[in-house]
Amino acid sequence: MEQSLKEANRKIESNIVRNVLNAPENLQNAHLFALGSIFDERATEERLFLINSLTAYVGPIKRSRLLYRFDAFNRTNPHRYIDKQPNLVLIAKTIFGKYVAGFSKEAIDSAGNKVGFGLLLPLWNRRVFEIAANKKPVIYDDYFIIFGNSELRLKAQETKLFSNFGISNAYFNSEGCKVDALLGEGTEREINVEAYEVYALDLYRSF
């Protein structure tokens, strides 16, 4: 029974991915994630996959608002810009040119974080990993931006990306995958990023 359920879930995910890849990018979505500079002209497919994946899981997106873009000369803690914003999207580009994203319906809040919906999206290999039941998609820390149980963790004002993806007490369902499925660099759990940006989404409807 359990094996049949896993196989059914795998087929559902495959259909979602197929629909995402085949979906046309219309004029309505042309402005999404376009205010920053993280997606270059070679990353059209990654950007399209992010837009359509988020639309498939959380509903139509009205607008993406750039909250923060990493700037080595800006010494202000990014929490000043990104906290208390629901429907949060983090996009990071590694030094190897791979794009990794995280989504949280719940806001990052120093007063405490809530259980809710979240996604991890290694855009470079077109995968989507959902938050496990009764887990928090984001966790507040003064010095880090954290998704899950440090399955994506960026230190404020630095360019090091760490991942606990695939560990036994992970918050996101890794579906048996290891960290390579997320970061794409073998067993390496910490790599440098070239850039990262944080957006908040305005949705046409809640899910």
Side-chain angles (χ1 to χ4, degrees):
M1 173 69 81
E2 184 178 348
Q3 186 63 33
S4 298
L5 182 59
K6 286 183 178 179
E7 184 63 28
N9 288 336
R10 194 174 297 115
K11 288 181 179 179
I12 291 171
E13 182 184 85
S14 297
N15 288 335
I16 290 174
V17 171
R18 189 180 303 110
N19 290 338
V20 164
L21 287 175
N22 292 335
E25 182 176 18
N26 55 43
L27 292 177
Q28 178 182 338
N29 289 337
H31 64 287
L32 297 177
F33 306 110
L35 289 179
S37 58
I38 196 163
F39 286 118
D40 58 31
E41 65 278 1
R42 294 169 295 180
T44 301
E45 289 187 6
E46 286 89 343
R47 178 172 165 269
L48 180 58
F49 182 81
L50 175 62
I51 293 170
N52 286 317
S53 294
L54 291 172
T55 301
Y57 280 92
V58 306
I61 303 168
K62 184 176 183 180
R63 182 173 59 147
S64 61
R65 293 179 284 115
L66 179 64
L67 303 177
Y68 177 79
R69 179 192 301 129
F70 174 75
D71 180 352
F73 296 102
N74 182 359
R75 306 309 297 172
T76 304
N77 192 309
H79 282 292
R80 178 177 177 182
Y81 306 102
I82 70 175
D83 285 9
K84 299 183 179 180
Q85 297 281 349
N87 298 315
L88 200 69
V89 180
L90 166 71
I91 308 167
K93 180 182 180 183
T94 74
I95 59 172
F96 303 105
K98 293 183 172 70
Y99 290 87
V100 181
F103 169 81
S104 173
K105 183 179 186 294
E106 304 301 329
I108 298 174
D109 194 334
S110 60
N113 291 111
K114 300 177 181 178
V115 169
F117 184 73
L119 300 168
L120 294 181
L121 305 102
L123 307 181
W124 60 275
N125 74 349
R126 314 297 192 268
R127 294 293 302 270
V128 181
F129 299 99
E130 291 187 60
I131 194 75
N134 301 315
K135 297 296 184 181
K136 299 176 181 180
V138 287
I139 302 293
Y140 180 84
D141 185 283
D142 286 342
Y143 303 105
F144 295 91
I145 301 171
I146 300 175
F147 279 73
N149 187 13
S150 289
E151 278 127 300
L152 279 182
R153 188 181 75 195
L154 277 160
K155 190 169 184 180
Q157 301 158 333
E158 292 190 9
T159 58
K160 291 186 182 299
L161 174 64
F162 175 82
S163 178
N164 261 337
F165 186 76
I167 63 173
S168 59
N169 59 340
Y171 287 9
F172 285 86
N173 183 4
S174 67
E175 301 173 6
C177 296
K178 302 300 184 183
V179 68
D180 183 56
L182 187 67
L183 300 185
E185 303 304 329
T187 59
E188 291 294 325
R189 290 193 175 274
E190 185 173 81
I191 58 177
N192 287 319
V193 297
E194 180 180 308
Y196 71 88
E197 296 173 350
V198 182
Y199 291 81
L201 302 182
D202 295 333
L203 303 177
Y204 280 104
R205 58 178 174 80
S206 299
F207 68 102

